[in-house]
Amino acid sequence: MSNFLAYPLEMLPYVVVSILIAFTIHEWAHAATALLFGDDTAKNEGRFSINPLVHVDLIGLLMVVIVGFGWAKPTPVNRFKLKKRKLGSILVSLAGPISNLILAFLAVGIFAYFIGGAGGDGLNTIWSNFLTIFIQLNLVLFIFNLIPFPPLDGYQVLVEFLPSRLRAKVQPVEQYAFLIFLIIALTPLYSITIGPTIYDVVLDRDFILS
């Protein structure tokens, strides 16, 4: 069964805990930045929260387990309520991926502190495995969400730089985005599109199992 999953079975508890934290902080960062720029939509809908239950999408969570990447419930943002709308929109979009990069760096620091000997006897296997998974998943979310394809954060940044006429032409693609991603993730297209980035650059299975 583990051959059909992105991670070995014994790593799944670490994956679930890591992704709950990563998704929650990612979506909270979107909501917090939107609120900072004057949009209280997420706050009014109960999404300005660090409760994982309000952010996690079960299908998106399963996709992390199966193919190595997934998604949470999108944070609602009314971009017309943002102060300095273009700048605000860009920063709101970038806040999520950047939060994952920050989490990864913090975990690397903790890992290095203990493994390097400053922490005394170092990390036990449980914490070592958890931090490894935590770092990798946050890096996956950082890279994955910067792909300029709807509805990902990278696309939201891209459209802010497109001329109005071109933006109007690409908007019809948005309604098919979820279907396109499922086709890519669950067919051989995965191995020549998203797969190489996730597995060859970020997810080193040998490192996980060492």
Side-chain angles (χ1 to χ4, degrees):
M1 180 178 177
S2 60
N3 291 332
F4 298 98
L5 302 177
Y7 291 90
L9 285 174
E10 64 270 22
M11 293 295 175
L12 291 187
Y14 308 120
V15 172
V16 172
V17 173
S18 295
I19 207 63
L20 287 176
I21 296 172
F23 277 167
T24 298
I25 298 303
H26 180 109
E27 299 304 329
W28 178 87
H30 283 314
T33 307
L35 187 61
L36 182 65
F37 277 85
D39 176 24
D40 58 359
T41 304
K43 181 180 179 181
N44 292 338
E45 295 187 19
R47 297 295 303 281
F48 184 58
S49 170
I50 55 172
N51 178 3
L53 295 179
V54 306
H55 299 297
V56 172
D57 180 285
L58 289 180
I59 295 178
L61 180 61
L62 286 174
M63 290 294 284
V64 174
V65 173
I66 296 171
V67 299
F69 71 91
W71 55 85
K73 296 176 183 176
T75 296
V77 177
N78 184 343
R79 298 181 187 274
F80 293 102
K81 295 176 68 175
L82 295 171
K83 302 172 185 176
K84 300 181 180 179
R85 200 203 63 80
K86 183 173 183 177
L87 175 63
S89 181
I90 292 172
L91 293 180
V92 168
S93 298
L94 290 176
I98 289 175
S99 72
N100 293 125
L101 184 62
I102 292 172
L103 287 175
F105 272 117
L106 289 174
V108 167
I110 294 172
F111 200 104
Y113 176 79
F114 284 97
I115 295 300
D121 296 330
L123 289 168
N124 60 34
T125 301
I126 292 176
W127 280 106
S128 178
N129 288 337
F130 170 72
L131 286 173
T132 299
I133 296 293
F134 187 82
I135 292 165
Q136 292 173 331
L137 276 173
N138 275 284
L139 289 177
V140 167
L141 289 176
F142 170 69
I143 294 173
F144 175 65
N145 277 285
L146 289 180
I147 297 174
F149 191 88
L152 300 176
D153 299 318
Y155 173 77
Q156 299 300 331
V157 173
L158 175 65
V159 296
E160 292 298 331
F161 293 97
L162 294 178
S164 299
R165 182 178 300 179
L166 184 55
R167 187 182 306 182
K169 290 183 179 180
V170 300
Q171 280 180 339
V173 178
E174 295 178 9
Q175 61 183 315
Y176 303 108
F178 182 72
L179 176 61
I180 293 172
F181 260 118
L182 285 181
I183 292 173
I184 291 174
L186 301 176
T187 68
L189 288 173
Y190 180 79
S191 63
I192 59 174
T193 54
I194 300 173
T197 299
I198 293 177
Y199 282 100
D200 297 339
V201 177
V202 180
L203 295 180
D204 183 342
R205 289 192 178 203
D206 293 333
F207 179 53
I208 295 174
L209 293 171
S210 62

